[in-house]
Amino acid sequence: MSGASTDPRLLRKAPPRPLRISWSDERFRNIVYQVLVVAAVLTLFGWLWSNTRYNLEVRRIATGWGFLSREAGLPIGEHLIDYDPSMSYFRALLVGVLNTLKVAIIGIVLATVLGTLLGVARLSRNWMLAKFAGAYVEIVRDLPLLLQLLFWYSLLQGLPGPRQAFNPVTGVFLSNRGLKLPYIQWEAAHSWALLAFVVGVVITYFYRRAARAKQMRDGQIRPIWPFALAAILGLPLLVWAALGAPFTPDVPELRGFNFRGGLDVSPEFFALLLGLTLYTAGFIAEIVRAGILAVSQGQWEAAQALGLPRGRVMNLIVLPQAMRVIIPPMTSQFLNITKNSSLAVAIGYQDIVSIANTTLNQTGQAIEGIAIIMLVYLTISLSISLFMNWYNKRIALVER
């Protein structure tokens, strides 16, 4: 057998068979089926397009995007950028997009934190804590989100007026007008300090990578937190102090029948954020719990055999491995928060859906209005998916 050899001619791939224009040829049938499907799809879209154009002409409905430059005359209570009703529809829709992004981003952060804590609590050895977390998850997930939004909004509307507002902490007031919080007036020094914070985060990231690379070479552990503390906190504070350290607090005060000053969180935004956060956190808790249970029990036993406390085992060993199971379904929950924010129209929060609906009612251009809503949610959803897929690849195990 040692002298046996394989003829290289036997390893060559057989030449492809020529395509026969015959129904008995499988490749020919596949091509015909694909051509028919593409033709059917194009015919359907062509029919829909011509039918839509005909109906619009018969009803004398104008089409196009020229309405975006016209005066909106639409009052919007909450806006992150300057806006008044004399501005264009484009500006009004931009305000709606920013309002949607605001509630989606804040909701994703809060729901992730709360859901992670609840998922860990469900696995706690404390019987009462585990049962409370389990009851919360079961109750919240079984109630429709729209019903929860209406409940929280009705509850906020039932709070006392500004004169009898709850004042748990100095400068914080909760009433039927919303939540009033103190904040610091933003100045140029704060913008530079924020930029220094971002630079500090980037520097810390690269320092951490370099420290880990050196540790892999020589096995010596290099502490990261002192450098991170200096870069992330010390650098912004140094920039802020160098620019005069401006600090002008704006504390809300009751004047007449309402509050003046401070940061205003409307009841609509508060109810929407509260409902989205509490509802989605219930699903994230189950995802986190499933990810932790997916980690082998031997990982726990090996870490505890080294004398590590349970908390450090969870933070340093179990959760990093569980993230590979958690991230894919977590992406779906982030998308759900973004899409479920469209229910804001039920409680009067002016997001992109609410403003686009008002726009199409005023202008009569329903196709463009619906297209704008679809484009906004599609763009946000694809952006979230791309980021989460990128992060999922970074933490995935490398196959050898």
Side-chain angles (χ1 to χ4, degrees):
M1 294 299 293
S2 60
S5 61
T6 304
D7 190 346
R9 291 176 297 177
L10 299 177
L11 301 178
R12 295 176 182 173
K13 295 179 62 176
R17 292 184 296 105
L19 178 66
R20 293 185 300 113
I21 305 178
S22 171
W23 197 251
S24 61
D25 193 325
E26 181 181 359
R27 291 181 297 166
F28 176 75
R29 292 199 307 269
N30 292 338
I31 293 174
V32 172
Y33 289 144
Q34 294 178 35
V35 170
L36 290 176
V37 170
V38 173
V41 172
L42 293 177
T43 302
L44 177 62
F45 275 102
W47 177 81
L48 290 173
W49 176 256
S50 61
N51 186 60
T52 302
R53 289 189 60 183
Y54 172 77
N55 288 326
L56 290 174
E57 291 175 0
V58 169
R59 292 166 175 79
R60 297 180 180 179
I61 298 176
T63 57
W65 304 96
F67 73 96
L68 292 175
S69 60
R70 301 208 306 260
E71 179 180 328
L74 173 62
I76 301 177
E78 296 186 51
H79 43 84
L80 294 175
I81 57 177
D82 292 336
Y83 175 82
D84 62 74
S86 63
M87 294 183 177
S88 64
Y89 280 111
F90 178 80
R91 187 78 171 187
L93 291 169
L94 180 59
V95 170
V97 172
L98 295 177
N99 285 346
T100 298
L101 287 173
K102 179 175 70 171
V103 72
I105 293 174
I106 299 176
I108 286 173
V109 174
L110 295 180
T112 302
V113 174
L114 179 59
T116 302
L117 293 176
L118 287 170
V120 174
R122 290 208 65 182
L123 300 173
S124 173
R125 294 178 177 177
N126 187 308
W127 182 88
M128 182 172 293
L129 180 61
K131 293 301 180 182
F132 173 79
Y136 171 89
V137 169
E138 294 301 327
I139 293 174
V140 168
R141 295 200 310 164
D142 291 340
L143 293 175
L145 176 57
L146 180 58
L147 180 62
Q148 296 187 42
L149 293 179
L150 294 174
F151 168 78
W152 291 115
Y153 184 65
S154 301
L155 185 65
L156 291 174
Q157 290 296 309
L159 293 175
R163 290 182 177 274
Q164 293 80 32
F166 295 108
N167 183 210
V169 183
T170 302
V172 177
F173 299 92
L174 180 62
S175 67
N176 56 10
R177 303 289 180 89
L179 181 65
K180 309 295 179 181
L181 300 170
Y183 80 108
I184 301 172
Q185 294 184 4
W186 197 263
E187 299 183 23
H190 300 129
S191 300
W192 286 108
L194 179 61
L195 179 61
F197 172 80
V198 175
V199 171
V201 171
V202 174
I203 293 175
T204 302
Y205 170 75
F206 285 105
Y207 176 79
R208 179 175 176 271
R209 289 189 59 180
R212 291 292 176 86
K214 291 181 180 179
Q215 179 182 348
M216 295 297 293
R217 289 196 299 266
D218 56 21
Q220 185 177 0
I221 299 177
R222 293 168 175 83
I224 298 174
W225 69 265
F227 182 87
L229 191 64
I232 296 177
L233 292 181
L235 183 60
L237 288 175
L238 183 62
V239 171
W240 176 64
L243 294 175
F247 185 81
T248 308
D250 189 1
V251 182
E253 296 179 356
L254 180 62
R255 297 178 184 175
F257 296 99
N258 204 349
F259 294 98
R260 296 290 183 271
L263 180 64
D264 183 16
V265 181
S266 69
E268 293 79 13
F269 175 78
F270 195 19
L272 178 64
L273 181 63
L274 195 61
L276 288 175
T277 299
L278 297 180
Y279 179 76
T280 310
F283 292 89
I284 291 178
E286 287 298 276
I287 293 172
V288 171
R289 184 173 73 97
I292 293 174
L293 292 177
V295 179
S296 172
Q297 185 65 25
Q299 299 288 324
W300 287 93
E301 295 172 354
Q304 291 171 351
L306 295 175
L308 293 176
R310 185 176 177 84
R312 293 184 64 84
V313 174
M314 176 68 74
N315 294 332
L316 301 178
I317 298 176
V318 176
L319 275 181
Q321 298 182 72
M323 290 297 289
R324 301 183 179 100
V325 180
I326 291 172
I327 291 300
M330 187 83 81
T331 304
S332 298
Q333 295 306 318
F334 291 170
L335 296 176
N336 286 339
I337 287 184
T338 304
K339 292 181 288 187
N340 287 337
S341 66
S342 60
L343 295 174
V345 67
I347 57 175
Y349 179 72
Q350 292 176 296
D351 67 334
I352 182 59
V353 175
S354 175
I355 295 176
N357 283 335
T358 305
T359 299
L360 66 89
N361 287 331
Q362 291 180 350
T363 62
Q365 303 195 234
I367 295 178
E368 291 82 356
I370 298 299
I372 289 173
I373 297 174
M374 293 173 62
L375 180 62
V376 168
Y377 280 106
L378 181 63
T379 303
I380 297 175
S381 298
L382 289 178
S383 301
I384 294 174
S385 298
L386 288 174
F387 174 78
M388 296 301 292
N389 288 336
W390 168 81
Y391 181 69
N392 188 41
K393 288 181 180 179
R394 282 189 58 84
I395 65 173
L397 288 174
V398 179
E399 298 282 343
R400 292 194 178 185

